[in-house]
Amino acid sequence: MMTETTTDRVGTGALARSVEPRSTNPTYTPSELMVCAAAREIKDSELVFVGMRLPLIAFVVAKKTHAPNAIGLFENGVIRSTPAPELIYTMADPPNILGATQCLDMLSVMILLQSGRVDLGFLGAAEVDRFGNLNSTQVKGPTGSVRLPGSGGACDIASLAHRFVVLIEHKKERLPEHVSFMTSPGFGEGNGWRKSVGLPRGGPSAVITTKAILRFPGEGEACLDSVHPGIELEDVLSNTGWKLRQSKDVQQTPAPSREELNAIREYDKEGFWTS
């Protein structure tokens, strides 16, 4: 187990939260670890497609720790130099409008992608494969194909940002060797593929899962970079849908710092996104 490694020393996660306020609990949840790992991907002064859920909180953490000058973009046209003053549940919530740097239309924000000004985008998907290609269109279910919501702005971000990071649950069915449908491109079939299809830049830089962090040396296939605290290497390998390569020096993912946890819990006080 990942988070509740420390929590379980004093009882179950649920019990620990019931007797100790979340804001002072020194342990952390898997989602909080993923948020911190995602926040560390944001560099100062970068223009970042933030999105919702965990990346939204990652933007908050980055702004309060190491990247105070990062700018957040939302697909609905909102641009923020500071996080929304309170937790939001959709990007159109009033707190996300209040104090925004700009409130534009979707096209105006997407133009920033096309002109090469967006440094980083965060994405999620139903599947991500060994070359970082994403599927959010359809998957095979027990009774046939299951239709999913589709790309939204993900294909634009994956195609045109300087790099993107994926957050996903670490399960073999969600990490297949090849996605069953390529909704948003990673490195396609490997080295040189993006250039061959006319994509001027970008590609996946990391896949942050509930068990590990994968990275992409050059434009090659995913490589195991670090394993989260409390997770065994074999657990990562056996729950990946291909023979996962390992970096020469696989590290342990750094646990959340006190500063990072405080930033998360001051913003997501009830753990709506991160519990």
Side-chain angles (χ1 to χ4, degrees), residues 110-179:
M110 290 302 180
I111 285 172
L112 296 173
L113 277 169
Q114 295 167 348
S115 61
R117 296 180 63 188
V118 176
D119 298 291
L120 170 63
F122 287 104
L123 299 173
E127 296 177 337
V128 58
D129 68 19
R130 68 190 184 107
F131 287 115
N133 304 303
L134 306 180
N135 173 24
S136 54
T137 300
Q138 63 180 25
V139 294
K140 295 178 181 178
T143 59
S145 293
V146 178
R147 182 71 180 180
L148 302 173
S151 167
C155 185
D156 299 78
I157 294 168
S159 298
L160 298 172
H162 283 276
R163 69 188 191 281
F164 68 86
V165 171
V166 184
L167 280 74
I168 195 168
E169 186 179 10
H170 201 123
K171 288 185 174 181
K172 183 174 288 189
E173 59 268 29
R174 300 196 67 179
L175 295 166
E177 184 170 8
H178 303 286
V179 290

Side-chain angles (χ1 to χ4, degrees), residues 3 15 19 88 101 107 133 147 153 168 189 206 220 246 250 252 255 259 264 274-275:
T3 69
L15 177 58
V19 299
I88 60 173
T101 303
L107 180 60
N133 304 303
R147 182 71 180 180
I168 195 168
E189 298 169 0
Q246 301 175 44
V250 176
Q252 178 174 278
E259 185 181 17
I264 293 171
T274 55
S275 62

Side-chain angles (χ1 to χ4, degrees), residues 19-146:
V19 299
E20 183 177 13
R22 185 172 183 271
S23 60
T24 60
N25 188 344
T27 62
Y28 55 88
T29 69
S31 294
E32 287 176 328
L33 178 59
M34 292 177 73
V35 164
C36 294
R40 295 164 192 158
E41 298 293 318
I42 300 173
K43 300 173 185 176
D44 198 18
S45 300
E46 285 195 319
L47 207 56
V48 181
F49 253 103
V50 174
M52 289 298 301
R53 302 181 179 88
L54 300 189
L56 169 73
I57 313 299
F59 178 62
V60 174
V61 173
K63 290 285 290 185
K64 290 189 174 183
T65 55
H66 64 277
N69 300 302
I71 303 295
L73 306 176
F74 295 83
E75 286 177 49
N76 64 341
V78 173
I79 300 177
R80 297 197 63 95
S81 58
T82 59
E86 60 186 85
L87 187 68
I88 60 173
Y89 305 94
T90 77
M91 62 184 69
D93 286 358
N96 206 34
I97 310 302
L98 179 65
T101 303
Q102 290 179 280
C103 292
L104 308 172
D105 57 20
M106 183 182 295
L107 180 60
S108 298
V109 172
M110 290 302 180
I111 285 172
L112 296 173
L113 277 169
Q114 295 167 348
S115 61
R117 296 180 63 188
V118 176
D119 298 291
L120 170 63
F122 287 104
L123 299 173
E127 296 177 337
V128 58
D129 68 19
R130 68 190 184 107
F131 287 115
N133 304 303
L134 306 180
N135 173 24
S136 54
T137 300
Q138 63 180 25
V139 294
K140 295 178 181 178
T143 59
S145 293
V146 178

Side-chain angles (χ1 to χ4, degrees), residues 101 113 195 225-226:
T101 303
L113 277 169
K195 183 177 180 180
D225 183 70
S226 71

Side-chain angles (χ1 to χ4, degrees), residues 250-269:
V250 176
Q251 302 289 320
Q252 178 174 278
T253 308
S257 69
R258 172 61 68 185
E259 185 181 17
E260 289 171 328
L261 279 180
N262 286 344
I264 293 171
R265 295 173 181 185
E266 287 171 3
Y267 196 73
D268 188 10
K269 293 180 175 63

